[in-house]
């Protein structure tokens, strides 16, 4: 693999997968590392450059592995360390990369550190965590898991004190004011980097430090620590990346790029709900306004853009009224709501209308940033709101219509989660094998978009210039760099749109629409285009 390419992430297409949900190689009902390894050809064929896998470490699984009980092992159901090494080798043999989830902010309460800390005030591990005799400190910090937690403090009978936790009470926060905690985390990173990972997705990074009188998010101390981590990476592992899960407003995420000396990448959380707003309103304004508000980032940095992920579709970075509107439009059944979000997958959110789903991907793949696909969304998988928490968007990958959707050969009662049975989304309707076989399937359209992207770096790093003097229903923009330019037009509405676009080429010009390979003429600098409802077109100038 081209280890010399230090900025590979600027144009990569990412894919988020949940090992437990992907493929069960030993028929115990849980997906595992060997199973994932057996499916790498599928991911390579889709055109994926880099995989992000959710936590694979020992855990009581009260938060699907985001509650880590040992940073140096593999959860037994997923396999052993040799399986991980084999996975890494197979990923790299395919010129692909893999980053792992690094849950810095907290551990599981089952972690030996916490067990030692709570049982002895004198333990060297006591101040690995944040303790208090009262539950009033840091009162300005919001509760994130609103549906389940009533406080960020929980009394621990054994310890005789309260401990701080920004998420479930079974996830005590680590105390980053303790230099030993910082050392421990850098040691953990070194361990996995030496095993060959290409970087980390840093979980819940805004919450690492706490300070009285602040909201305990995005504190300067956190940025100082990230700079330390980035320096460590640059000195010892050039080419490996840090991807920030900082669910914040654009200007606050901008700070996580520092001067190009903090995170290489950061998820662009705020644009995500606005893609859904724009689609529902048939109006580009929500997308354009948040991108207009998004600051420039250092040359060696990149946004990671997404439609959905393993969590709820978060509505934390919208106004109260936007949230109410989104819930009314996209989560009419209150069971679809979780915390400040919506726990549904992409296809059900978009009425299982392939035109709309493709259009969402056209926006994802042509707006600035490196896009990430959530496993199963590429084949239009459904969800199950009957399942608790976010489990309904984490069901087994549907490979075919054989038993257990080809995910596992075990008895269905032993599966970690039921397979989707919904009449529109069950494996007879939705499966990898079916999607691959149908030439106009969602999968094949996404695969085509990825192929086009890979050949043209303009989509990830070119400039973004909106076409304005056209109906709001059209999200049309130029992507330009010094060698090429592309005109993207997305019809966000369910009505046909006729538009004349100023292409500012003085002479007659031939344009090719990249997805259909149809050619179009512009005359006197103007091109007439007609778009069906939810149709999208990507034009490249042929002259
Ligand atoms: O989520 C961190 C976080 O801030 C969440 O509230 C997120 O903003 C929200 O769920 C919408 O995306 C991370 C993981 O993604 C999540 O799965 C874990 O439960 C959480 O951290 C605790 O580790
Ligand atoms: Ca913290």
């Amino acid at each position: 693999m081209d280890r010399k390419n230090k900025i590979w992430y600027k144009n990569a297409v990412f894919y988020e997968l949940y090992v437990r949900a992907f493929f069960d190689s030993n028929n115990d009902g849980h997906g595992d590392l060997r199973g994932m390894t057996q499916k790498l050809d599928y991911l390579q064929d889709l055109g994926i450059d880099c995989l992000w896998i959710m936590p694979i470490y020992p855990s009581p699984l009260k938060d699907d592995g985001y509650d880590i009980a040992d940073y140096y092992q593999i959860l037994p159901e997923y396999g052993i360390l040799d399986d991980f090494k084999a996975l890494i080798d197979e990923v790299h043999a395919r010129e692909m990369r893999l980053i792992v989830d690094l849950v810095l902010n907290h551990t599981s309460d089952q972690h030996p550190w916490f067990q030692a800390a709570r049982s002895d005030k004198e333990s060297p591990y006591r101040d690995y965590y944040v303790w208090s005799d009262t539950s009033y400190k840091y009162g300005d910090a919001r509760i994130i898991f609103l549906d389940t937690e009533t406080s960020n403090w929980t009394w621990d009978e054994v310890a005789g004190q309260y401990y701080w936790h920004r998420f479930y009470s079974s996830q005590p926060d680590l105390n980053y004011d303790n230099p030993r905690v910082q050392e421990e985390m850098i040691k953990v990173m070194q361990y996995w980097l030496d095993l060959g990972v290409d970087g980390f997705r840093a979980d819940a990074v805004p919450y690492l430090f706490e300070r009285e009188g602040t909201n305990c998010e995005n504190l300067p101390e956190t940025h100082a620590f990230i700079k330390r981590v980035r320096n460590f990476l640059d000195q010892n592992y050039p080419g490996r990346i840090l991807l920030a899960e900082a669910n914040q407003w654009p200007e606050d995420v901008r700070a996580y790029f520092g001067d190009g000396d903090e995170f290489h990448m950061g998820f662009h959380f705020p644009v995500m709900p606005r893609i859904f707003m724009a689609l529902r309103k048939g109006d580009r304004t929500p997308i354009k306004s948040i991108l207009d508000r998004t600051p420039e980032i250092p040359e060696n940095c990149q946004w990671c853009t997404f439609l959905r992920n393993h969590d709820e579709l978060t509505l934390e970075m919208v106004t109260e009224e936007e949230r109410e509107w989104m819930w009314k439009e996209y989560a009419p059944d209150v069971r679809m709501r979780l915390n400040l979000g919506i726990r549904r997958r992409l296809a059900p959110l978009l009425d299982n209308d392939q035109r709309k789903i493709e259009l969402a991907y056209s926006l994802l793949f042509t707006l600035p940033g490196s896009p990430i696909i959530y496993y199963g969304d590429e084949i239009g998988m459904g969800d199950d709101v009957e399942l608790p928490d976010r489990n309904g968007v984490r069901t087994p990958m549907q490979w075919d219509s054989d038993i257990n959707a080809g995910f596992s050969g075990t008895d269905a009662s032993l599966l970690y989660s039921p397979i989707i049975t919904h009449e529109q989304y069950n494996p007879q309707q939705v499966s990898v094998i079916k999607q691959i076989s149908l030439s106009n399937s969602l999968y094949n359209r996404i695969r085509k978009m990825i192929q086009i992207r890979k050949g043209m770096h303009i989509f990830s790093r070119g400039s973004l210039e909106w076409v304005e003097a056209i109906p709001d229903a059209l999200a049309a923009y130029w992507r330009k760099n010094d060698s090429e330019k592309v005109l993207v037009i997305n019809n966000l509405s369910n009505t046909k749109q006729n538009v004349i676009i100023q292409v500012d080429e003085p002479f007659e010009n031939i344009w090719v629409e990249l997805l259909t390979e149809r050619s179009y003429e512009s005359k006197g600098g103007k091109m007439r285009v007609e778009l069906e409802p939810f149709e999208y077109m990507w034009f490249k100038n042929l002259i």
Side-chain angles (χ1 to χ4, degrees):
M1 179 175 60
D2 176 9
R3 280 267 189 218
K4 293 182 300 300
N5 177 3
K6 299 288 172 286
I7 55 167
W8 58 270
Y9 51 90
K10 284 171 63 171
N11 193 56
V13 175
F14 288 73
Y15 187 95
E16 177 192 1
L17 74 84
Y18 180 29
V19 169
R20 178 188 303 285
F22 213 57
F23 182 66
D24 173 14
S25 70
N26 63 347
N27 296 328
D28 68 353
H30 301 261
D32 45 60
L33 293 169
R34 286 184 180 204
M36 177 182 163
T37 304
Q38 291 169 24
K39 296 296 183 181
L40 289 177
D41 289 342
Y42 164 73
L43 295 165
Q44 183 182 24
D45 202 50
L46 177 55
I48 301 304
D49 298 302
C50 185
L51 303 167
W52 153 35
I53 54 175
M54 289 159 62
I56 54 173
Y57 320 100
S59 160
L61 297 179
K62 291 184 184 166
D63 188 8
D64 269 0
Y66 283 94
D67 45 334
I68 295 174
D70 181 343
Y71 284 96
Y72 293 96
Q73 292 301 328
I74 303 282
L75 183 78
E77 289 96 319
Y78 287 167
I80 58 173
L81 224 38
D82 282 348
D83 297 325
F84 183 75
K85 290 174 185 168
L87 170 66
I88 284 276
D89 290 345
E90 289 299 325
V91 166
H92 288 162
R94 291 169 176 77
E95 297 291 305
M96 294 162 77
R97 287 178 166 89
L98 180 127
I99 64 175
V100 293
D101 224 314
L102 184 68
V103 185
L104 295 147
N105 180 65
H106 48 269
T107 69
S108 161
D109 57 4
Q110 303 307 308
H111 194 295
W113 292 343
F114 187 74
Q115 291 305 313
R118 69 196 293 242
S119 35
D120 173 2
K121 269 200 165 50
E122 304 312 316
S123 160
Y125 293 104
R126 185 71 175 204
D127 67 354
Y128 269 41
Y129 296 90
V130 182
W131 301 96
S132 171
D133 291 329
T134 70
S135 59
Y136 311 128
K137 278 177 82 176
Y138 313 132
D140 297 340
R142 67 188 168 106
I143 295 170
I144 296 170
F145 282 171
L146 285 163
D147 287 0
T148 38
E149 302 298 332
T150 54
S151 166
N152 288 322
W153 291 104
T154 290
W155 175 258
D156 184 81
E157 203 50 52
V158 174
Q161 281 190 298
Y162 291 92
Y163 63 88
W164 179 251
H165 56 84
R166 294 307 304 270
F167 297 97
Y168 291 129
S169 58
S170 56
Q171 295 171 297
D173 270 41
L174 285 164
N175 168 21
Y176 274 82
D177 282 314
N178 180 349
R180 288 186 58 203
V181 166
Q182 295 194 21
E183 296 297 335
E184 289 277 10
M185 272 307 141
I186 290 175
K187 226 172 83 194
V188 166
M189 296 173 76
Q190 185 163 5
Y191 178 79
W192 293 99
L193 288 162
D194 288 341
L195 282 174
V197 302
D198 296 290
F200 302 95
R201 176 261 188 188
D203 182 70
V205 72
Y207 316 105
L208 297 189
F209 285 80
E210 295 75 35
R211 285 294 179 274
E212 202 52 62
T214 75
N215 68 356
C216 298
E217 298 182 28
N218 313 321
L219 293 173
E221 292 83 352
T222 292
H223 291 291
F225 173 64
I226 297 301
K227 287 184 194 312
R228 177 181 176 194
V229 169
R230 174 60 183 270
N231 184 50
F232 166 74
L233 225 57
D234 287 347
Q235 296 300 319
N236 303 289
Y237 302 95
R240 321 289 181 94
I241 67 163
L242 294 169
L243 164 57
E245 187 217 23
N247 182 6
Q248 302 288 326
W249 291 100
E251 52 278 7
D252 292 325
V253 183
R254 169 66 188 81
Y256 284 93
F257 296 113
D259 302 317
D261 61 348
E262 290 191 36
F263 282 96
H264 301 77
M265 298 183 77
F267 287 115
H268 199 309
F269 273 94
V271 74
M272 179 274 294
R274 290 171 175 80
I275 289 175
F276 289 92
M277 281 183 210
L279 282 171
R280 185 68 94 188
K281 291 170 184 258
D283 177 350
R284 64 171 178 266
T285 308
I287 300 173
K288 182 177 184 309
S289 56
I290 197 71
L291 291 181
D292 287 349
R293 170 177 167 180
T294 299
E296 286 302 310
I297 56 177
E299 188 47 37
N300 66 338
C301 295
Q302 180 58 297
W303 290 105
C304 189
T305 46
F306 65 103
L307 298 172
R308 284 292 292 116
N309 63 13
H310 65 289
D311 285 326
E312 67 278 24
L313 187 168
T314 178
L315 300 172
E316 290 160 279
M317 297 305 139
V318 297
T319 64
E320 290 271 337
E321 74 187 290
E322 286 170 334
R323 184 177 307 132
E324 288 306 323
W325 185 85
M326 280 288 287
W327 267 333
K328 184 171 61 64
E329 291 293 326
Y330 283 105
D333 174 344
V334 288
R335 290 177 305 164
M336 299 170 178
R337 303 177 187 186
L338 179 74
N339 302 324
L340 295 180
I342 301 171
R343 57 196 191 102
R344 303 219 68 188
R345 266 188 178 268
L346 183 62
L349 281 165
L350 297 182
D351 313 309
N352 202 22
D353 182 334
Q354 183 174 327
R355 300 171 306 166
K356 295 181 191 173
I357 304 170
E358 286 184 38
L359 183 61
Y361 277 105
S362 168
L363 289 159
L364 181 72
F365 287 132
T366 59
L367 287 169
S370 291
I372 185 163
I373 295 170
Y374 180 56
Y375 89 89
D377 280 352
E378 79 276 17
I379 59 169
M381 263 178 67
D383 53 38
D384 182 351
V385 290
E386 302 290 337
L387 296 176
D389 197 345
R390 293 148 286 174
N391 300 354
V393 302
R394 303 178 184 177
T395 60
M397 183 68 168
Q398 294 171 198
W399 295 100
D400 57 40
S401 51
D402 292 344
I403 74 155
N404 300 325
F407 162 72
S408 169
T410 191
D411 183 281
S413 62
L414 295 178
L415 293 178
Y416 79 93
S417 157
I419 307 268
I420 296 292
T421 54
H422 186 286
E423 58 179 5
Q424 288 184 42
Y425 299 102
N426 64 49
Q428 284 63 41
Q429 306 305 322
V430 175
S431 73
V432 165
I433 200 160
K434 183 169 182 179
Q435 284 280 312
I436 289 176
S437 67
L438 299 169
S439 58
N440 281 332
S441 66
L442 174 64
Y443 166 87
N444 279 317
R445 299 289 294 173
I446 289 172
R447 185 168 179 272
K448 173 90 175 159
M449 291 188 222
I450 293 173
Q451 276 175 335
I452 293 171
R453 252 191 75 91
K454 286 173 100 78
M456 309 167 68
H457 288 194
I458 195 165
F459 289 120
S460 53
R461 294 298 298 193
S463 65
L464 174 67
E465 294 166 30
W466 289 86
V467 177
E468 306 232 33
I470 55 174
D472 288 345
L474 294 171
Y477 37 86
W478 290 93
R479 304 301 317 275
K480 293 181 179 177
N481 59 25
D482 48 16
S483 56
E484 54 190 350
K485 65 181 180 182
V486 171
L487 169 64
V488 177
I489 311 178
N490 299 289
N491 179 6
L492 302 172
S493 71
N494 61 0
T495 52
K496 186 177 282 200
Q497 297 282 344
N498 268 299
V499 66
I500 294 177
I501 300 269
Q502 181 69 36
V503 290
D504 71 27
E505 299 293 344
F507 39 88
E508 285 198 6
N509 224 318
I510 306 296
W511 300 77
V512 63
E513 200 288 316
L514 294 169
L515 291 142
T516 56
E517 291 165 29
R518 267 191 234 125
S519 54
Y520 290 70
E521 276 191 34
S522 60
K523 287 193 171 56
K526 293 184 189 314
M527 177 160 69
R528 168 187 291 282
V529 182
E530 183 178 279
L531 295 107
E532 294 301 321
F534 306 117
E535 189 173 15
Y536 52 96
M537 295 180 170
W538 305 357
F539 291 99
K540 185 167 170 14
N541 184 320
L542 266 194
I543 304 289

